Amino acid sequence: GESVGLHLPTLSVQEGDNSIINCAYSNSASDYFIWYKQESGKGPQFIIDIRSNMDKRQGQRVTVLLNKTVKHLSLQIAATQPGDSAVYFCAEIPSGGSYIPTFGRGTSLIVHP
Amino acid sequence: DVKVTQSSRYLVKRTGEKVFLECVQDMDHENMFWYRQDPGLGLRLIYFSYDVKMKEKGDIPEGYSVSREKKERFSLILESASTNQTSMYLCASSLDMNKQFFGPGTRLTVL
């Protein structure tokens, strides 16, 4: 999962395995959460989002789980492929106020063929 | 799909130079953002704009200014570039202050 520090946490998996990437968020008033994927040399790309009134949302091969009790978000990728290798980071957006997101520092996913 | 483009992928400038980074989005979004991304520090918000000619400071505005003369264009200006402004700069836009769409980034090196 994500943590403070200069080096990104890294998750190494074999092609075909399921991957789980974790994110701890800080603001219990956050209302909306997004997962982004950033491939090397590219800008972040939206993957999936979830609102605080949900605890699970599924997309194509990806599932986001939200546990508000412990302020934890996870991204599950099914049947991970080499093209999934990237940095993944979460963003939390508070309700009210400026709606400016706070981004996590990211987890590097490495998929071995 | 929303397209956010940035004027340069790579840029090398000298200390003291004035630097312009341009960002253009094609989906009529009201909100636009400039971030810098550094290893271990994640994305940090420099400035954002929620309308033409409007701007708001983010977390690290010092040494930067912005311009939004047209809805589709948001420019980041480094008045006098310094070596500590070497970074990846990312522009984003959003319709509703939630889902942000990012450009490909400009990797700026200040010598």
Side-chain angles (χ1 to χ4, degrees):
Chain A
E2 301 190 9
S3 63
V4 175
L6 293 178
H7 301 289
L8 284 180
T10 300
L11 176 65
S12 289
V13 300
Q14 290 296 129
E15 182 178 1
D17 286 352
N18 296 333
S19 302
I20 300 175
I21 300 169
N22 298 303
C23 175
Y25 64 92
S26 57
N27 188 347
S28 56
S30 289
D31 186 49
Y32 178 61
F33 304 86
I34 304 173
W35 277 101
Y36 287 94
K37 172 186 180 183
Q38 187 174 20
E39 296 175 87
S40 181
K42 298 184 178 180
Q45 179 185 4
F46 170 88
I47 303 173
I48 192 167
D49 56 1
I50 188 167
R51 295 221 170 261
S52 60
N53 60 354
M54 304 170 69
D55 53 21
K56 181 179 180 178
R57 188 160 190 224
Q58 287 185 288
Q60 190 177 15
R61 278 200 310 119
V62 293
T63 301
V64 56
L65 298 178
L66 175 62
N67 185 332
K68 293 180 285 295
T69 304
V70 295
K71 292 189 285 186
H72 184 268
L73 196 65
S74 68
L75 176 71
Q76 300 178 1
I77 306 173
T80 316
Q81 303 167 1
D84 295 328
S85 293
V87 173
Y88 291 81
F89 55 91
C90 63
E92 57 175 309
I93 294 97
S95 58
S98 67
Y99 300 97
I100 298 301
T102 300
F103 293 92
R105 291 178 186 173
T107 295
S108 177
L109 175 66
I110 299 171
V111 183
H112 300 282
Chain B
D1 276 353
V2 174
K3 192 154 188 193
V4 180
T5 56
Q6 294 182 228
S7 50
S8 305
R9 293 300 306 277
Y10 300 94
L11 211 50
V12 179
K13 296 291 182 180
R14 297 209 174 272
T15 302
E17 281 192 81
K18 190 168 186 175
V19 183
F20 292 89
L21 302 182
E22 300 274 325
C23 176
V24 177
Q25 50 96 4
D26 67 356
M27 283 301 289
D28 205 35
H29 285 174
E30 276 84 22
N31 310 301
M32 296 188 75
F33 307 80
W34 274 107
Y35 295 91
R36 63 179 283 177
Q37 186 177 38
D38 300 287
L41 298 178
L43 284 165
R44 293 183 291 167
L45 181 63
I46 305 171
Y47 268 97
F48 66 101
S49 168
Y50 52 88
D51 202 351
V52 176
K53 297 194 187 293
M54 306 301 286
K55 61 183 179 184
E56 294 283 343
K57 291 180 180 179
D59 299 320
I60 51 163
E62 297 78 19
Y64 303 95
S65 62
V66 290
S67 172
R68 186 124 181 247
E69 295 297 317
K70 293 185 177 181
K71 192 174 187 180
E72 68 271 18
R73 190 178 297 268
F74 192 34
S75 302
L76 180 70
I77 303 147
L78 287 67
E79 294 289 341
S80 178
S82 63
T83 54
N84 64 11
Q85 291 179 310
T86 291
S87 187
M88 169 71 97
Y89 289 88
L90 289 161
C91 174
S93 74
S94 73
L95 180 62
D96 55 8
M97 275 294 192
N98 283 339
K99 190 187 303 181
Q100 294 189 7
F101 295 88
F102 287 86
T106 296
R107 188 165 292 282
L108 172 67
T109 302
V110 183
L111 302 175

